[in-house]
Amino acid sequence: MLDLTKLRYLTVLARRSNYARAAEELGISQPALTRTIQTLESQLGFRLFDRDRSGVSLTPQGQDFVDRAAVLVANAEDLERHAVLATTGKRGRIRFGIAPMPARALLPRVLTHRILEAPHLINDVVVKNVEALWPLLISGEIEFFVSAEGQVPDAPPVRVTPLGTFPVSFLVRKEHPLLTRSESSERYPVLISNHREVALPPDLQDQTIHPPHVIEDFGTLAALTANTDAIWISSAYAVSTEMSNEELAELPVDHAPGRREYRIMMYSLDRRTQSPAALLLKDHLTKLIRVLAERR
């Protein structure tokens, strides 16, 4: 069987046409290169090079063989580069899921960073609620998914990795009546993005209409909140642009006895080795959530 190392030595010698220069490029001694080419010629049963005082030149059989060998060497080097990039999480494909709320807050920024840093890594992302992401994880169609804690059913063991926390926010339009803190008997509709139980703060319980409207699309939720008196229960991190543009505002409420934050988790199958790309993405998500917390 032909040795790729010998073929690489052969292609370098063919390009340099001189044993001394080729040996220097390869980082080996000239006698070692000479022995390698002699061994290869013996293995093939024909001469690859004609030798003279000025150096070496390919024989007709040698030229045909080197042309084919160069393709093999180039493919092998490309495969090696591909493996290195895959090991570092910069090549290949990563398929994962993310729930709408963390997707709105994190996905544009983290994917911008990843595409600029690793343009050869293909990101295949599914944005759905946990009810749809869970079967995709179990069947192996996605490597992991990211969502708020407390939505995963009791099922096969999963690896749960905390990424950080999002604040629980009660979002309204900029000039919502509740922002004035004036006394009112008005009741307002509630918007949520999934069917999880919602614990309203005591100071909002008597001012809202139940049950809430469940709408999975965050663009629609943002538009409804900006154009009606509805109260959207989500996280300020997911609407940072709308808040910066003063389209939406956050109600100052008493959270007790409800929770004050969402823990954002990465869920993957317990016995499945995580890819380098997944580990890199986990680190980037963790850092981004930390940055959002520092800016808040």
Side-chain angles (χ1 to χ4, degrees):
M1 182 178 294
L2 293 173
D3 186 328
L4 278 170
T5 299
K6 292 178 182 177
L7 295 182
R8 181 167 176 264
Y9 288 3
L10 168 66
T11 58
V12 172
L13 178 58
R15 174 164 50 81
R16 300 305 296 264
S17 300
N18 181 280
Y19 272 96
R21 290 193 293 267
E24 181 181 5
E25 179 177 328
L26 292 166
I28 62 175
S29 67
Q30 184 173 333
L33 177 58
T34 301
R35 287 194 298 271
T36 298
I37 298 302
Q38 289 173 343
T39 300
L40 185 57
E41 288 179 328
S42 177
Q43 183 180 357
L44 294 172
F46 57 83
R47 292 181 65 85
L48 293 166
F49 294 95
D50 289 324
R51 298 158 179 82
D52 56 36
R53 291 182 180 180
S54 61
V56 295
S57 59
L58 286 164
T59 66
Q61 285 178 302
Q63 183 65 65
D64 181 64
F65 186 80
V66 165
D67 289 344
R68 296 172 183 270
V71 174
L72 290 176
V73 171
N75 287 340
E77 290 176 348
D78 183 64
L79 181 61
E80 184 177 4
R81 284 192 298 271
H82 183 95
V84 170
L85 289 171
T87 301
T88 58
K90 293 186 176 182
R91 183 178 283 275
R93 178 181 295 272
I94 180 170
R95 179 170 170 80
F96 66 95
I98 187 167
M101 190 261 285
R104 182 70 179 261
L106 303 173
L107 207 54
R109 277 175 273 197
V110 79
L111 285 187
T112 296
H113 176 82
R114 294 299 294 141
I115 288 173
L116 290 173
E117 186 178 84
H120 297 291
L121 176 69
I122 303 303
N123 297 277
D124 192 344
V125 189
V126 181
V127 180
K128 293 183 180 295
N129 281 329
V130 172
E131 292 83 355
L133 295 175
W134 179 251
L136 296 179
L137 178 68
I138 297 303
S139 66
E141 293 185 54
I142 56 176
E143 184 177 347
F144 64 88
F145 69 80
V146 174
S147 74
E149 186 181 28
Q151 304 177 63
V152 173
D154 293 330
V158 292
R159 182 190 296 112
V160 183
T161 306
L163 300 178
T165 60
F166 280 18
V168 174
S169 307
F170 297 85
L171 305 164
V172 294
R173 65 182 177 89
K174 180 186 176 184
E175 298 179 353
H176 195 282
L178 289 178
L179 290 173
T180 65
R181 288 291 184 175
S182 59
E183 295 292 330
S184 173
S185 60
E186 189 75 24
R187 288 178 176 266
Y188 306 101
V190 175
L191 307 177
I192 57 176
S193 61
N194 56 51
H195 290 273
R196 283 180 300 158
E197 187 67 25
V198 177
L200 285 166
D203 51 345
L204 284 183
Q205 288 178 1
D206 296 331
Q207 295 183 291
T208 52
I209 301 170
H210 274 71
H213 300 269
V214 183
I215 302 166
E216 295 185 1
D217 181 71
F218 262 54
T220 300
L221 285 165
L224 287 173
T225 307
N227 292 289
T228 71
D229 284 338
I231 300 170
W232 179 16
I233 304 176
S234 184
S235 175
Y237 289 178
V239 291
S240 57
T241 300
E242 289 82 356
M243 293 184 71
S244 297
N245 295 337
E246 297 188 345
E247 298 170 19
L248 300 179
E250 187 174 357
L251 282 176
V253 297
D254 178 10
H255 283 263
R259 62 180 175 177
R260 295 175 180 271
E261 61 187 22
Y262 302 103
R263 292 183 72 203
I264 304 300
M265 319 295 278
M266 174 186 281
Y267 294 92
S268 57
L269 294 182
D270 188 40
R271 296 184 179 180
R272 180 173 177 177
T273 301
Q274 289 184 298
S275 68
L279 295 174
L280 276 176
L281 190 61
K282 180 195 72 173
D283 290 342
H284 288 150
L285 289 169
T286 302
K287 291 175 183 176
L288 178 54
I289 294 173
R290 190 181 304 124
V291 168
L292 290 173
E294 291 170 353
R295 292 176 179 173
R296 182 170 168 78

